[in-house]
Amino acid sequence: MTGRPSFTFEGSTQPRRRNDLLRAARGGMSQGKLADLVSAEIYRATGQTMLVTAKSISDWECGWYTWPSAEVRMALCSILRKSEPSELGFYKRRVASKQLSVLPVSLLDLTTDHWPAAQSETLRVPGGRSYAGVDIAAHYREVELPGEGWLLVDPGKDAGAPLSRPDRRSLVIAVDHERRFYASDGRRFVDRAGRRTGPQPISTAALLDDLTTGIIWAATNTDIALLADDAQLVNTQARLAHYDGRRTSDVALSEVPTLNAVAGQWLESRFCARHITRNLDRLSGQPFFWTRENRGEEAASWLLWKHKYEYLRRTSRWFPQMRRALRVSEDDIVESPRYERVLLLLAVALMEAFGITVEFSPEPEHAEVEGFVLAGDAMVANWLGGAGLWYVDASAPPSRQSVFSDVEASVAAESLVAEPTPQRRLAAVASYLNVPWPWFHRRCEQLAIAGVDDIVHPRSRLLSTRGLNTAIRYVAYLNDLQRS
């Protein structure tokens, strides 16, 4: 625990202080021996299997945690022959909201690799290339650890109003005795608390790390942006409806001058997806799809936008065997934080879950090639990186078809993740993106059980967590799927 800044919980009236009473009561007994006795006493008294470690004893003696679970308090009092937990130096921390900082704390500072110097009622979710960034409300609570895989969080009497405000996002930030942070969507948490009284359960899979941080980062930024321009999107779609059904269209950005960047991308992507699905009968054989998403921020659209999920579902049913290639450079990887690279890996996993073989191009010149589909004929559908909103063509001219054929042949011969099975391809993608595959696979296993909706739950009608949950569960059960 050395080297960490002093940190005061909401619910704490004073900085951390050592628990000398517990240390004195332990006497000459080792921390490990006392931990074993506590675990055994809990099992004898309750029948529950609870693993208490020497580190737990050390944390309590150091004052990192001042009120262990009821079972632990009971066992310690019995073993050390005390009648009350207070005789062992334990106490509940009281609410001291005046200690909260007025300055926002970054979401990134709550991951397992960072430690904020103070708490704040405002949590800052960073921006990105298109994401504007957003401030959301944070409601901090200490937790008890009642069992393997879940925590109990007391919402407190003051939680309802700030967490259920319709005009502001909020997160309940739970903090355990090892100073790990867990996130729960504020409105979902309040909804549960309204249905039943007392402490509410939070899965330990909600631990804030690169996986959950990336999910919150993408979902919150996207949700805020789409809701901000919801009415304009409806009006714009109606105004541009005359482009539907056209064989070719190339629409300038001046058509939507006031849409924010994310809302504009949603509009562009939806049109291109509709263009391809309208013209699927023009394609034959095993199609090759070229997509221009090269960063997690862009790839998160596959995980969150409803129309992208339905597009994957429909095209994969139309063509049971498909290939989809991306061009992700080493510069893209270096410039992306790991939580963003995790989103790109999840997007690839979602494609593989639909039976789509994913390939990565190593060629720099491919970065400028527009989005296309090649299957007998060649179709263009580009919404990323172009000069306008979109450019679509139901049948590309021969000069472009030749370029597309060269790209397809090059990727087939030199894919950076060329492996015979989905499991090995995903592991190769993780390696290329510098995401530890064992960690990623383990975290997906944990999160697959709880799902992501209690961590972040979009409000926009245009978004869904279905893609996120599908990708996470696919990775979690990939070994079983490979054996079946």
Side-chain angles (χ1 to χ4, degrees):
M1 293 291 183
T2 59
R4 293 176 181 171
S6 175
F7 187 84
T8 304
F9 287 121
E10 178 188 11
S12 171
T13 59
Q14 55 191 351
R16 177 181 67 86
R17 65 170 183 260
R18 294 189 62 85
N19 187 340
D20 295 327
L21 290 178
L22 178 60
R23 175 64 189 89
R26 177 166 62 86
M29 188 187 311
S30 71
Q31 292 177 339
K33 177 63 175 177
L34 180 56
D36 291 341
L37 291 175
V38 171
S39 297
E41 176 63 18
I42 292 173
Y43 182 77
R44 185 198 66 77
T46 68
Q48 297 182 40
T49 300
M50 185 178 295
L51 179 62
V52 178
T53 65
K55 186 177 185 303
S56 301
I57 304 297
S58 174
D59 287 346
W60 294 323
E61 291 182 356
C62 290
W64 288 116
Y65 193 56
T66 67
W67 193 245
S69 68
E71 295 85 356
V72 169
R73 299 195 307 269
M74 172 274 299
L76 282 168
C77 286
S78 175
I79 294 165
L80 299 176
R81 301 183 183 279
K82 302 294 182 182
S83 59
E84 295 292 337
S86 60
E87 297 179 43
L88 293 173
F90 293 126
Y91 62 94
K92 281 188 175 180
R93 289 171 171 155
R94 303 301 177 188
V95 173
S97 58
K98 64 182 180 181
Q99 294 174 341
L100 293 178
S101 169
V102 296
L103 297 176
V105 168
S106 172
L107 173 67
L108 305 184
D109 287 338
L110 300 185
T111 65
T112 52
D113 295 327
H114 300 81
W115 297 93
Q119 290 181 347
S120 170
E121 291 179 331
T122 302
L123 193 63
R124 177 152 294 167
V125 180
R129 293 198 294 187
S130 298
Y131 294 164
V134 61
D135 287 351
I136 61 177
H139 187 76
Y140 292 87
R141 277 294 181 259
E142 291 184 69
V143 300
E144 293 188 3
L145 306 170
E148 183 69 25
W150 55 291
L151 316 164
L152 283 180
V153 180
D154 188 344
K157 295 180 181 180
D158 58 338
L163 292 179
S164 58
R165 280 178 52 174
D167 63 327
R168 193 178 189 193
R169 298 297 188 287
S170 61
L171 285 175
V172 173
I173 304 297
V175 194
D176 70 13
H177 68 290
E178 294 185 348
R179 293 304 188 267
R180 291 173 299 200
F181 296 87
Y182 306 80
S184 178
D185 182 272
R187 288 187 69 178
R188 297 268 293 193
F189 188 87
V190 168
D191 288 345
R192 287 201 309 271
R195 294 193 296 269
R196 55 189 176 200
T197 60
Q200 305 301 310
I202 290 181
S203 170
T204 56
L207 175 72
L208 278 172
D209 60 3
D210 285 313
L211 175 60
T212 48
T213 295
I215 291 170
I216 294 170
W217 175 67
T220 304
N221 272 294
T222 305
D223 199 29
I224 292 287
L226 291 182
L227 282 175
D229 282 351
D230 185 75
Q232 287 193 67
L233 279 172
V234 173
N235 295 334
T236 301
Q237 288 179 78
R239 184 162 49 81
L240 300 181
H242 62 280
Y243 289 108
D244 287 340
R246 290 191 181 182
R247 180 180 175 277
T248 302
S249 63
D250 188 358
V251 180
L253 289 172
S254 58
E255 294 272 14
V256 289
T258 60
L259 283 179
N260 69 68
V262 175
Q265 290 171 357
W266 180 90
L267 182 70
E268 298 157 11
S269 169
R270 180 179 177 273
F271 185 90
C272 288
R274 287 163 59 87
H275 172 78
I276 290 175
T277 51
R278 280 196 306 267
N279 291 281
L280 285 176
D281 56 357
R282 301 176 64 93
L283 304 175
S284 61
Q286 181 183 4
F288 174 83
F289 286 73
W290 176 256
T291 186
R292 299 194 71 181
E293 295 94 341
N294 61 353
R295 296 277 290 268
E297 181 177 344
E298 300 158 345
S301 60
W302 295 102
L303 303 167
L304 291 166
W305 298 356
K306 283 183 178 179
H307 74 266
K308 299 279 273 189
Y309 184 91
E310 290 304 315
Y311 168 73
L312 281 179
R313 185 183 62 83
R314 182 170 181 181
T315 53
S316 63
R317 288 182 177 180
W318 191 285
F319 297 107
Q321 290 185 316
M322 296 166 49
R323 296 160 56 212
R324 183 175 288 275
L326 304 86
R327 201 285 169 172
V328 180
S329 71
E330 292 183 359
D331 288 342
D332 293 324
I333 296 171
V334 170
E335 294 169 3
S336 300
R338 192 162 83 171
Y339 63 83
E340 184 178 11
R341 285 178 270 129
V342 165
L343 290 171
L344 181 54
L345 179 54
L346 278 175
V348 172
L350 179 62
M351 296 170 190
E352 290 280 355
F354 279 99
I356 301 168
T357 299
V358 177
E359 301 167 331
F360 274 29
S361 166
E363 297 299 331
E365 59 268 25
H366 291 171
E368 302 304 319
V369 177
E370 63 269 35
F372 68 85
V373 186
L374 186 66
D377 202 352
M379 190 187 311
V380 178
N382 190 74
W383 62 277
L384 271 177
L389 271 180
W390 66 70
Y391 167 61
V392 299
D393 192 337
S395 183
S399 60
R400 297 313 295 165
Q401 289 195 35
S402 176
V403 172
F404 301 158
S405 295
D406 289 344
V407 171
E408 187 278 332
S410 173
V411 172
E414 302 178 11
S415 172
L416 295 169
V417 295
E419 295 289 348
T421 66
Q423 182 181 33
R424 290 173 62 176
R425 279 194 297 275
L426 284 174
V429 172
S431 176
Y432 183 64
L433 297 179
N434 196 22
V435 175
W437 174 254
W439 165 82
F440 178 73
H441 184 258
R442 182 180 70 254
R443 288 293 284 125
C444 285
E445 287 181 317
Q446 296 166 350
L447 201 51
I449 299 172
V452 304
D453 289 82
D454 280 346
I455 298 173
V456 62
H457 193 69
R459 302 183 189 183
S460 171
R461 62 190 173 84
L462 307 176
L463 300 179
S464 166
T465 57
R466 193 175 180 183
L468 275 169
N469 282 317
T470 299
I472 289 168
R473 289 166 183 160
Y474 179 73
V475 173
Y477 304 120
L478 188 55
N479 292 339
D480 294 334
L481 291 171
Q482 291 292 107
R483 287 193 291 265
S484 62

